[in-house]
Amino acid sequence: MAVSYEHRLLFRHEGPLDMEVLPIMVRNLEKLLGEEGIRPPLRRKVVSSLIELAQNIIHYAVPHEKYPPLISVVRTEEGILLTTRNLVYYSQEIFLQSYLQNLLAMSREELEQFHRATLTSGSYSDSGGANLGLMQVILKADRVEYELTSAEAEYAWFTLKAFFSLEKP
Amino acid sequence: MSDLKTSEKLIIEPTFTTPEIIFDPSANRFFIGGNSYPENSIKFYSPVLAWLEQFVQRHTPRPEPLVLEVKLEYFNTSTAKVLLDLFRHFEALYEKGQPVQIRWVFLEEDTEMEDAGLDYQAAVKVPFELVPVNEPEA
C-alpha cells in the first residue's frame, strides 16, 4: 500500500510537557527530519520553532490533566507542518488574539524591525523572552495560522500551525 | 564571586539545554557553544553576567585582542535577549580600551543564525565577525 505524502505523521506528543521531555523531543525530531532527508537549515527552522512553541506551552499553558498539550509534525508533499495545541485562560486568549493578529498583519520587513526593536529594548518576560518566541516562529515559517476556540469553563483552545516549505533552504 | 581575580576561570559544562561556557582570561579563551534553551535563561545566565561584570571592573586592558567565540546550535528567544546583555559587557571592555572581537560561528547555509548574527552585529559596538562554517549533512 502506498503511503500518501499528504498527511504523513512524523511525530506526535500528547501529554504533559516539561523541560525533561523537551530535549528528548528535540533529539527525536532532529533524527526524524534527518531520516526524511530534510537538510540542516530547514531542520533547524522546524526544530527551533518547536522549542519556542513548546517552551511557550511550558510557561503559559493551563496545566490540565484532562486536556494536555498536543504537538505534531506532519510531512506533506510541499513541506513540514508543525502544529501545537494547548489550553489557555480566557485572559490569555484576548492577548493572543490581538498580539497574533498584529504580528500576522505585518510585512516581513516590519516584523524583522519589530523583532530587532524588541530584542534590544531591554524588557524581559518572566521567562526572559519578552514575547519574542511567537515572533520568531512567524519569521522562520513560510506560513502561520492560529485558531482560538472555546473550551469548557474559563478556558480556550489555542492551536498554532506553522508550515515550512521544502522549496526554501 | 566577591573576590574574583581577572585570572579566575568560569567553566560551565554543557547539558542538552544549556551551553558550554569557558571564560578563561589567562588562556585568552572566551567561548559559548552548544544549545541554549534553558527553562529560565535569566536564572541560568545570572552567574555568567555577574562574573563578566566583575571581570570588566577589574580588567586592565592589554594589547592582544580578547576574542569571544559564540557557536550555538539552538538557542531560544530568552537566550537571545540575555546574549545581548552579555555582549554589552564585551562592549564595556572595548570602551575601556581593550581590543575585543566577537566571532559568531554558524553553519554556512543557516540563514536564521546568520540573520541573528547580523542583528547582534548591528546592535553592539565592537568588532563582530560572522564566521560561516561547513558541517557534514548528517
Side-chain angles (χ1 to χ4, degrees):
Chain A
M1 188 181 75
V3 179
S4 166
Y5 259 115
E6 280 179 21
H7 286 94
R8 198 151 58 83
L9 185 67
L10 294 181
F11 176 89
R12 186 177 190 276
H13 171 89
E14 187 170 16
L17 189 58
D18 57 29
M19 284 303 292
E20 301 225 336
V21 174
L22 182 57
I24 299 165
M25 285 171 59
V26 166
R27 287 200 300 278
N28 285 345
L29 186 57
E30 264 269 330
K31 187 167 173 279
L32 284 165
L33 294 174
E35 285 167 0
E36 281 293 308
I38 307 295
R39 301 197 55 239
L42 180 57
R43 222 149 73 192
R44 281 167 183 260
K45 281 187 185 185
V46 177
V47 174
S48 56
S49 297
L50 168 95
I51 291 171
E52 294 299 341
L53 295 175
Q55 288 197 315
N56 272 352
I57 291 173
I58 292 168
H59 289 128
Y60 304 117
V62 177
H64 198 298
E65 222 171 86
K66 202 170 146 194
Y67 304 117
L70 167 77
I71 296 178
S72 71
V73 178
V74 169
R75 170 80 190 253
T76 72
E77 212 160 341
E78 295 83 24
I80 301 291
L81 177 65
L82 167 65
T83 304
T84 61
R85 190 196 66 186
N86 59 277
L87 212 56
V88 294
Y89 289 111
Y90 178 66
S91 55
Q92 293 169 297
E93 181 189 354
I94 296 167
F95 165 77
L96 282 168
Q97 188 83 42
S98 71
Y99 184 65
L100 280 166
Q101 257 175 17
N102 280 337
L103 292 183
L104 291 170
M106 287 184 195
S107 66
R108 184 165 181 92
E109 199 179 42
E110 287 170 329
L111 204 56
E112 280 171 355
Q113 276 175 7
F114 185 45
H115 178 260
R116 237 171 270 137
T118 312
L119 181 69
T120 53
S121 72
S123 63
Y124 285 87
S125 66
D126 289 347
S127 56
N131 298 316
L132 282 161
L134 288 171
M135 222 185 289
Q136 270 290 322
V137 175
I138 295 170
L139 278 167
K140 286 178 203 292
D142 294 290
R143 197 170 65 242
V144 170
E145 292 167 8
Y146 74 97
E147 201 176 56
L148 284 151
T149 51
S150 297
E152 63 182 49
E154 72 268 46
Y155 308 127
W157 282 113
F158 173 49
T159 306
L160 190 134
K161 292 180 180 184
F163 179 76
F164 302 84
S165 172
L166 287 176
E167 283 172 15
K168 289 183 184 173
Chain B
M1 282 283 186
S2 60
D3 195 28
L4 176 83
K5 295 187 182 98
T6 52
S7 60
E8 280 181 16
K9 299 178 202 176
L10 174 75
I11 309 278
I12 298 177
E13 296 294 330
T15 70
F16 288 119
T17 61
T18 57
E20 177 180 25
I21 296 180
I22 302 169
F23 287 171
D24 185 354
S26 57
N28 194 14
R29 179 155 165 73
F30 293 81
F31 174 79
I32 302 174
N35 290 326
S36 182
Y37 55 97
E39 186 166 11
N40 188 325
S41 294
I42 297 172
K43 194 174 162 191
F44 173 78
Y45 280 97
S46 320
V48 181
L49 294 171
W51 187 96
L52 272 174
E53 200 176 327
Q54 292 214 17
F55 177 69
V56 172
Q57 275 173 17
R58 294 165 190 226
H59 181 72
T60 308
R62 50 193 187 199
E64 70 268 28
L66 192 153
V67 181
L68 167 67
E69 185 172 289
V70 184
K71 192 180 179 186
L72 291 169
E73 285 185 39
Y74 291 112
F75 69 100
N76 61 3
T77 47
S78 58
T79 294
K81 292 284 291 181
V82 181
L83 274 182
L84 190 62
D85 283 355
L86 197 139
F87 294 153
R88 295 278 182 231
H89 286 90
F90 286 85
E91 203 173 62
L93 282 170
Y94 188 64
E95 281 163 6
K96 271 181 85 169
Q98 171 62 51
V100 169
Q101 192 186 19
I102 299 176
R103 286 166 53 85
W104 181 263
V105 183
F106 64 99
L107 187 66
E108 200 167 34
E109 291 175 90
D110 192 346
T111 52
E112 302 299 314
M113 272 294 181
E114 185 177 8
D115 287 348
L118 286 167
D119 282 348
Y120 288 124
Q121 192 181 51
V124 296
K125 295 177 191 71
V126 293
F128 193 105
E129 188 188 0
L130 272 74
V131 186
V133 291
N134 272 311
E135 277 181 29
E137 287 278 305

